[in-house]
Amino acid sequence: MFNREVNICSQQLVAENKALPGNCEVVCSDAVARTGEKYALREDLENSLRRIDDTARAVEKLDSKLNAELKDVSKELESKPKSLTMLSLAGMVCTLWLGVMAWILFFYIPSAIDAKVNALDAKSTKSLGETNERVSKTESKLDTLFDVLLKETTKGKPEEVKAKLTVAKNLLSEAENRDITLDLPLIKEGGLELVKYESPMPELTLAVWDTVTQFINYRSFLNQKLFPVIEKGQGEPLALPERGLAKVSNLTILGATQGVDHGDLENLTFIRCTIIYKGGEMRLKNVRFQDCQFRIEQNANGKKFAEAVLLSETPTEVF
């Protein structure tokens, strides 16, 4: 193509008498070279213009997008005041509701509960006072009845004495079961009178001793009510010998079945124990029987032990 352009250029120059035939190719080659440079510059310029057009179109698209987003933001801002108003109203309603609930929870309900509790407390106090008054009257009546009964227990025929002993024993058992406190001097007096009572009838003698045992049981029950102690100790019974005396001191025995024969016992407390005494050798000092049951054989030492339990001014027995 380049040679063809050179020939065309040579012919034109010869025709126009601007060059000799021999120098035509050189002149045309320079002209074509300069023309090619112009073509390259023009192509670069056109490419640059196309890039500029593409950039302008991209800017237009971006501008359109920004305008659309600005419109959306404007619409949202226009609707905000209504939403904010509704939120404000809702917040005020919630605040009012929470305030009412807080007043109910922290003021009204506690006040109502306090009023109810005070009313119940007043009613309970009144009922308790009435109950205590009735119990006091009942205990007073029982003391009077028991006093009369004790004075008449050993009087009359053996059959009458036996019937009175049954009444006295049942009365003591019922008083213990119902947690009723009878007059302590009456218990001492009635129990000692029966310990000293002698009957020619073996059957009546057995009934008398059963009643004496009930007096001792009730005396131990009174120790629990009048002189309570902390219930803390061992549940195992003491191991005492069959002969001589075994020294045991400073213990509390709970709920055991305990024989006390051949015991040299000091500073001991028996709580809810079954105490067995057969009349053997024994020594007691500062020994306490609280709410215990007794099985004492009816012999000379048994009577002395019964008297010691009944006569003790405190829950301490010395024997």
Side-chain angles (χ1 to χ4, degrees), residues 275-291:
I275 305 299
I276 302 173
Y277 181 54
K278 300 178 180 179
E281 184 180 7
M282 177 181 62
R283 185 181 299 121
L284 303 180
K285 183 178 180 181
N286 193 28
V287 176
R288 173 193 181 94
F289 299 102
Q290 176 171 306
D291 197 19

Side-chain angles (χ1 to χ4, degrees), residues 28 75 86 124 140 229 255 290:
C28 288
K75 292 180 180 179
M86 296 300 294
S124 299
S140 178
V229 295
Q290 176 171 306

Side-chain angles (χ1 to χ4, degrees), residues 37-55 57:
E37 291 176 0
K38 291 181 180 179
Y39 285 154
L41 290 174
R42 182 177 180 181
E43 186 175 356
D44 290 339
L45 181 59
E46 290 178 353
N47 291 334
S48 297
L49 290 175
R50 281 195 295 270
R51 286 196 295 270
I52 291 172
D53 291 339
D54 293 339
T55 303
R57 284 192 293 270

